Amino acid sequence: MKQAQAVALLFACLCGAAHAADSAPIEYLNSGRVLPTTLPFSEAVRVRDTLYLSGQVGIVPGTMKLVPGGMKEEARQTMENIRASLEANGFSMSDVVKCTVMLADISEWAAFNEVYRTFFTAPFPARSALGANGLALGARVEVECIAAVAPR
């Protein structure tokens, strides 16, 4: 009976060690390349090989001021900010698997898409889009993304 208990204990320890090795730390990241690091949220959160980006708007990096020029300019800057945030954390636009797009005016969807298409090639990430009643800083567009890389 003691040998069976020892085997069971060894098995439990091995399973626990495997589980501990399998679990990855959660990293809360703020590069400071786009958003000020003093905001009450993380720019990105990494879990294993997946990066969850907070929503980005079309601000001039390092400021809280939107770029002038309307939807297309805001959309372009938003996507550039996403690219900067991804690259700061070791990812690229080709690693993006899902985007959520929030538009202050859903009728500007086509204008946003025109810019969006210049940042991705097929196969495109999964995407949702919705009209919102008020975005941060009075932005016309906000985009959040999830990026993932295959384990090496």
Side-chain angles (χ1 to χ4, degrees):
M1 187 72 154
K2 288 187 180 194
Q3 185 178 15
Q5 289 173 333
V7 170
L9 181 59
L10 177 60
F11 181 74
C13 288
L14 289 174
C15 287
H19 177 70
D22 188 43
S23 64
I26 298 172
E27 298 175 77
Y28 298 89
L29 307 163
N30 287 299
S31 72
R33 290 190 187 176
V34 177
L35 299 169
T37 59
T38 56
L39 296 174
F41 57 88
S42 296
E43 169 188 347
V45 175
R46 182 193 326 251
V47 180
R48 290 192 179 99
D49 293 322
T50 303
L51 189 71
Y52 301 87
L53 292 182
S54 288
Q56 290 280 352
V57 297
I59 59 171
V60 175
T63 75
M64 293 299 285
K65 296 184 183 201
L66 293 168
V67 296
M71 170 53 88
K72 286 187 179 180
E73 290 308 311
E74 274 191 48
R76 188 168 288 104
Q77 187 63 56
T78 297
M79 298 308 293
E80 288 294 345
N81 291 348
I82 288 168
R83 183 190 330 260
S85 184
L86 288 165
E87 290 175 356
N89 293 292
F91 288 76
S92 70
M93 294 299 281
S94 63
D95 297 322
V96 174
V97 295
K98 173 73 167 88
C99 292
T100 301
V101 179
M102 295 153 273
L103 301 167
D105 183 349
I106 198 70
S107 72
E108 293 187 303
W109 188 66
F112 172 78
N113 268 343
E114 188 177 322
V115 174
Y116 180 87
R117 288 179 163 279
T118 68
F119 285 84
F120 296 105
T121 57
F124 295 100
R127 192 178 89 177
S128 302
L130 58 112
N133 184 8
L135 297 173
L137 305 176
R140 302 174 82 83
V141 61
E142 181 171 347
V143 180
E144 66 178 32
C145 297
I146 300 170
V149 293
R152 293 169 178 59

